[in-house]
Amino acid sequence: MEISKIRFAVFASGNGTNAENIFTHIGDNPKSEVCCLVTDNQDAFVVTRAKNHGINYHIVEKSSGDNKIKHEKNIVKILDTYKPDWILLAGYMRILSPFFLEKFSGKKGQSRVINIHPSMLPKFKGMDAYRQAYDANVDTSGVTVHFVDSGIDTGSQIMQESFPRYRNDTFDDFKSRGMNIEYTLYRKVIDQITGQSVRERCDGYH
Ligand code: GAR
């Protein structure tokens, strides 16, 4: 009997280095697959990355007349055709509404949407977290992978890893150290999902 693969949809808005890391890592695992990329930005380089990996992609921009729910309904319509088990946010720069999160939650309301945030949450929530941490002269910063709830970077944490900021670091040194942590951390979380320990915390689709 063929066991169905765990299906991941990836959401990204920009360059997409995290998305690329996910495409490669999931592509190496016969138990899982990236079913599609969703982006809200037609100019995002992540679209080129998806094309290069042969991954289905959907550009769903928010037009000026659309409110958040209308935009999210357009995304849900697409996802309904893929039925992803999990949604991985990888530099997706929109806050998802309770409407969307409710659609992608388990029977007991657990989130099936996961985000990576470039700080040691709860520190430095929101935009430009590397810049916030660097400008605050921290000795250590970090990266957090967490379930998404309707707050801004407030959902329960899955995994966190710190990294040092050295005295002579330029902003680019600091950020590139953090980005490398992002890639390894997301890979570890995906391995947990495909190997169950996170999956068991969520008991099936709505
Ligand atoms: C990453 O640093 C990611 O953690 C961050 O955006 C960057 C996207 O880079 N996400 C957030 O700040 C979400 N709040 P990428 O497009 O190269 O993956």
Side-chain angles (χ1 to χ4, degrees), residues 70-146:
K70 174 92 194 311
H71 180 236
E72 289 180 348
K73 280 186 175 165
N74 292 337
I75 296 174
V76 168
K77 216 181 290 168
I78 289 165
L79 293 181
D80 279 346
T81 67
Y82 291 101
K83 302 217 179 315
D85 298 299
W86 295 91
I87 295 172
L88 302 179
L89 307 186
Y92 186 67
M93 294 306 180
R94 285 183 190 278
I95 307 300
L96 294 166
S97 74
F99 156 77
F100 184 92
L101 294 172
E102 212 249 323
K103 292 252 171 229
F104 294 96
S105 59
K107 287 181 189 136
K108 292 182 186 159
Q110 313 92 320
S111 182
R112 287 181 160 266
V113 185
I114 291 174
N115 182 42
I116 189 159
H117 183 76
S119 79
M120 210 64 182
L121 288 173
K123 288 185 182 157
F124 308 120
K125 295 174 182 159
M127 297 286 285
D128 297 324
Y130 283 119
R131 176 54 70 186
Q132 293 183 54
Y134 185 82
D135 289 350
N137 279 314
V138 293
D139 293 326
T140 326
S141 193
V143 174
T144 307
V145 176
H146 63 94

Side-chain angles (χ1 to χ4, degrees), residues 181-200:
I181 300 288
E182 293 195 39
Y183 309 141
T184 55
L185 204 66
Y186 233 155
R187 284 171 178 249
K188 284 183 200 166
V189 169
I190 290 164
D191 288 348
Q192 277 206 354
I193 292 171
T194 53
Q196 283 215 335
S197 48
V198 173
R199 186 153 39 119
E200 280 164 355

Side-chain angles (χ1 to χ4, degrees):
M1 190 182 75
E2 199 182 319
I3 295 170
S4 60
K5 293 185 177 191
I6 301 170
R7 296 161 73 76
F8 293 89
V10 177
F11 283 27
S13 301
N15 184 1
T17 61
N18 273 286
E20 173 124 32
N21 175 54
I22 292 167
F23 299 160
T24 307
H25 193 57
I26 290 179
D28 286 344
N29 183 344
K31 289 195 295 186
S32 57
E33 66 184 358
V34 175
C35 53
C36 66
L37 167 82
V38 171
T39 182
D40 59 336
N41 175 8
Q42 65 173 345
D43 300 323
F45 188 65
V46 71
V47 171
T48 304
R49 297 182 192 273
K51 283 181 191 165
N52 291 343
H53 282 262
I55 285 172
N56 296 331
Y57 64 91
H58 298 272
I59 299 167
V60 190
E61 295 205 305
K62 182 172 173 297
S63 47
S64 52
D66 288 356
N67 61 25
K68 183 191 276 286
I69 303 290
K70 174 92 194 311
H71 180 236
E72 289 180 348
K73 280 186 175 165
N74 292 337
I75 296 174
V76 168
K77 216 181 290 168
I78 289 165
L79 293 181
D80 279 346
T81 67
Y82 291 101
K83 302 217 179 315
D85 298 299
W86 295 91
I87 295 172
L88 302 179
L89 307 186
Y92 186 67
M93 294 306 180
R94 285 183 190 278
I95 307 300
L96 294 166
S97 74
F99 156 77
F100 184 92
L101 294 172
E102 212 249 323
K103 292 252 171 229
F104 294 96
S105 59
K107 287 181 189 136
K108 292 182 186 159
Q110 313 92 320
S111 182
R112 287 181 160 266
V113 185
I114 291 174
N115 182 42
I116 189 159
H117 183 76
S119 79
M120 210 64 182
L121 288 173
K123 288 185 182 157
F124 308 120
K125 295 174 182 159
M127 297 286 285
D128 297 324
Y130 283 119
R131 176 54 70 186
Q132 293 183 54
Y134 185 82
D135 289 350
N137 279 314
V138 293
D139 293 326
T140 326
S141 193
V143 174
T144 307
V145 176
H146 63 94
F147 290 107
V148 175
D149 67 10
S150 55
I152 299 178
D153 303 321
T154 50
S156 68
Q157 293 179 13
I158 300 169
M159 220 182 267
Q160 205 170 40
E161 192 168 325
S162 64
F163 65 91
R165 178 247 177 84
Y166 298 119
R167 210 153 44 88
N168 295 329
D169 272 355
T170 62
F171 174 69
D172 287 347
D173 296 333
F174 174 69
K175 180 173 174 181
S176 89
R177 191 172 304 118
M179 291 299 295
N180 285 320
I181 300 288
E182 293 195 39
Y183 309 141
T184 55
L185 204 66
Y186 233 155
R187 284 171 178 249
K188 284 183 200 166
V189 169
I190 290 164
D191 288 348
Q192 277 206 354
I193 292 171
T194 53
Q196 283 215 335
S197 48
V198 173
R199 186 153 39 119
E200 280 164 355
R201 289 156 71 175
C202 201
D203 64 346
Y205 235 150
H206 250 306

